[in-house]
Amino acid sequence: MKHLYSRWQRHKIEQAMATRRVVLLVGARQCGKTTLAKQLITEETAYLTLDDTTLREAAENDPQNFVKHKLKTLIIDEIQRAPSLLPAIKKVVDEETQPGQYLLTGSANIQALPSTQESLAGRVSKVRLRPLTQGEIKGNKPDFLTHAFSQSFNFHWNFYEKDAIIEMAFQGGFPEALTLEGRNQKKWYRDYIEALLERDLQDVAKIHRYDAMRELTKVLAAWSSKFLDTSAISSGLSIHRPTVATYINALEALYIVERVLPWTKTDYDRVGKQSKLFMTDSGLMSSILSWNRDQIRFDSDRLGKLMETFIFNELASQIDASEEEYELYHYRDRAKREIDFLIEHDDQAILGIEVKSSSSIQKKDFNHLEWFQENLSKDKPFVGIVLYSGNMPLSFGQNLWAIPISMLWPIDSMAT
């Protein structure tokens, strides 16, 4: 029996349904959208899925009639399969303005689809669902960022050793993959990406060379946590650079890869402007690359890539689920100073995070955070954190902390 996890985004969906006419729940295939949507079904709700070929035919042939309903909410699953429904939905919600009329789910960014003629701007609230986080798996709340910005690290948490965290990263967060082990789990991920390229890709782009797309997907998995350089990526492939850019955009539209923008809110003229690229699930990444757990432990480059991708997924999910407004960036300049993640609150307070797989930390690990604090944050509140695989939080100076990766998942939000 499939385990039903308590998803952080359920509250966001319910809030949006109470105030907005249309709510769009988006995320990668198999990340749990349908399961979550079905948990919201009541006697006042109807559910239709466009994965059903008969329903999809009906939707495409008579969109106006397909979206009509007399209940409180109509849930339409996999809306990207029939973008022609969007103008019909717009017509309905323009005539009837009560909130919560439609809950749509999509495994592709409908705004990026070439066949989409209507964005529902001003009528829709978008909620992103990612693969399961460790906090959701463990039944904890997404409270780490609140604690980090306030530097209150005396909450309850369970310590996980380095090998345990590596295992979490290898498993990833797709619910069905978590029910499998070893080779079966790795095979699930490979089958997943193969089905995605063969089936879902046609919804978002006209891809003529599926062999090249498979090759690119593997290259991008190896590129995760690196700076996006389309020229360098295309140089090792038999694909022209413009085509590579188009293919990367298609994988972004399917929520398989994601960019983290550079932080450039400064007059410092040596700041870098390249985005970072991440796979949106560390288990998917490691399976595509056929990585072995034992090999990773003794390969610092691969281990660093795995941990940074894993932490990206965890932080991005906490940002998505938070009641606060945060933006995620990275920092790099021409002097080769880098900070893995910068999280900016809407009050302009900044949290800098470096990721280290080591169980020990030295003062030099804070050099870039300290430089940023002294030279760029200026009058903005700044907290610098090095996440490491140790077993206790440690102060390394004013607003500088070494924090165990395990503390990303507070057991509760009450300080002791």
Side-chain angles (χ1 to χ4, degrees):
M1 181 177 292
K2 185 182 291 186
H3 182 81
L4 291 180
Y5 296 96
S6 178
R7 302 306 303 262
W8 288 343
Q9 291 294 53
R10 177 168 180 164
H11 180 59
K12 281 280 185 79
I13 296 170
E14 291 172 336
Q15 280 185 323
M17 293 290 288
T19 58
R20 305 298 291 275
R21 288 170 273 179
V22 184
V23 176
L24 176 61
L25 177 62
V26 299
R29 276 269 185 187
Q30 298 291 320
C31 73
K33 299 185 303 300
T34 299
T35 301
L36 179 54
K38 286 183 175 180
Q39 290 177 26
L40 302 173
I41 293 176
T42 68
E43 293 180 354
E44 299 180 287
T45 306
Y47 171 86
L48 300 171
T49 176
L50 296 175
D51 276 340
D52 184 303
T53 54
T54 302
L55 289 177
R56 189 164 67 250
E57 286 276 343
E60 291 170 344
N61 284 283
D62 190 0
Q64 300 290 341
N65 193 54
F66 189 87
V67 301
K68 286 182 181 178
H69 67 95
K70 295 183 179 180
L71 297 173
K72 183 178 179 180
T73 303
L74 175 60
I75 300 174
I76 303 177
D77 210 358
E78 301 299 349
I79 189 67
Q80 80 281 350
R81 307 303 300 274
S84 58
L85 292 181
L86 297 178
I89 291 172
K90 175 181 179 293
K91 185 175 185 297
V92 172
V93 299
D94 282 351
E95 293 172 355
E96 301 288 339
T97 59
Q98 68 269 23
Q101 294 181 59
Y102 295 93
L103 172 59
L104 313 176
T105 80
S107 298
N109 183 354
I110 60 171
Q111 280 86 359
L113 303 186
S115 56
T116 298
Q117 304 297 319
E118 175 55 58
S119 67
L120 296 176
R123 303 163 183 85
V124 64
S125 176
K126 183 187 287 188
V127 179
R128 171 75 180 271
L129 189 70
R130 298 173 184 272
L132 285 159
T133 65
Q134 290 302 309
E136 289 172 312
I137 293 169
K138 295 169 175 46
N140 301 341
K141 296 179 181 179
D143 293 336
F144 174 74
L145 295 178
T146 300
H147 291 299
F149 273 95
S150 62
Q151 301 180 75
S152 54
F153 298 114
N154 57 340
F155 52 82
H156 297 296
W157 56 286
N158 286 328
F159 172 64
Y160 297 95
E161 294 183 346
K162 182 176 178 179
D163 283 353
I165 296 171
I166 291 173
E167 182 63 27
M168 294 174 193
F170 262 92
Q171 288 185 336
F174 284 93
E176 189 170 344
L178 291 173
T179 66
L180 304 172
E181 295 180 355
R183 292 181 179 178
N184 289 330
Q185 187 179 77
K186 189 172 291 187
K187 185 178 186 305
W188 185 93
Y189 276 117
R190 290 175 180 170
D191 289 344
Y192 170 86
I193 201 70
E194 190 68 21
L196 204 74
L197 296 182
E198 289 183 354
R199 174 186 173 187
D200 293 62
L201 200 57
Q202 62 186 333
D203 290 332
V204 300
K206 293 181 179 179
I207 304 297
H208 302 291
R209 294 188 54 193
Y210 287 91
D211 59 332
M213 178 57 96
R214 289 186 186 91
E215 191 178 358
L216 174 62
T217 303
K218 189 169 184 177
V219 170
L220 294 180
W223 213 269
S224 186
S225 79
K226 294 175 66 174
F227 296 98
L228 182 59
D229 186 339
T230 309
S231 296
I233 292 171
S234 60
S235 66
L237 299 169
S238 56
I239 322 173
H240 295 301
R241 178 179 172 178
T243 305
V244 167
T246 299
Y247 285 10
I248 292 174
N249 290 339
L251 291 172
E252 280 189 278
L254 292 174
Y255 303 106
I256 298 304
V257 298
E258 188 167 341
R259 302 172 203 238
V260 173
L261 298 177
W263 188 87
T264 58
K265 300 179 182 182
T266 175
D267 55 5
Y268 180 53
D269 61 2
R270 303 195 71 190
V271 65
K273 296 182 180 179
Q274 275 184 298
S275 295
K276 262 188 173 182
L277 185 80
F278 284 95
M279 293 289 288
T280 53
D281 185 83
S282 55
L284 179 62
M285 179 195 78
S286 58
S287 294
I288 290 173
L289 295 172
S290 301
W291 281 358
N292 179 286
R293 288 164 171 78
D294 293 331
Q295 292 173 337
I296 292 299
R297 291 181 177 89
F298 305 104
D299 187 325
S300 59
D301 182 63
R302 290 182 177 183
L303 180 57
K305 185 186 302 293
L306 178 71
M307 296 296 278
E308 191 174 337
T309 300
F310 174 64
I311 297 302
F312 160 73
N313 296 325
E314 295 290 321
L315 292 175
S317 293
Q318 295 216 19
I319 289 170
D320 290 343
S322 178
E323 296 296 328
E324 301 291 326
E325 293 293 328
Y326 298 114
E327 294 289 341
L328 179 63
Y329 302 97
H330 75 87
Y331 178 82
R332 185 194 197 193
D333 60 32
R334 277 179 264 171
K336 296 186 178 180
R337 285 181 286 257
E338 297 182 17
I339 298 174
D340 294 330
F341 303 107
L342 287 177
I343 301 174
E344 187 169 21
H345 191 270
D346 60 2
D347 66 359
Q348 294 192 316
I350 299 174
L351 174 66
I353 296 179
E354 288 271 50
V355 179
K356 303 290 182 184
S357 60
S358 172
S359 58
S360 61
I361 292 295
Q362 302 178 50
K363 179 62 176 176
K364 67 179 182 180
D365 294 322
F366 290 85
N367 285 351
H368 297 173
L369 291 166
E370 202 164 11
W371 182 89
F372 188 96
Q373 181 182 39
E374 293 173 354
N375 294 276
L376 296 188
S377 67
K378 297 181 180 178
D379 56 344
K380 299 176 182 176
F382 179 83
V383 178
I385 287 176
V386 175
L387 288 173
Y388 77 125
S389 58
N391 62 2
M392 66 179 67
L394 299 168
S395 172
F396 271 77
Q398 185 177 5
N399 302 333
L400 299 174
W401 295 84
I403 298 296
I405 293 172
S406 304
M407 292 184 78
L408 282 170
W409 315 295
I411 293 176
D412 59 47
S413 59
M414 299 298 293
T416 57

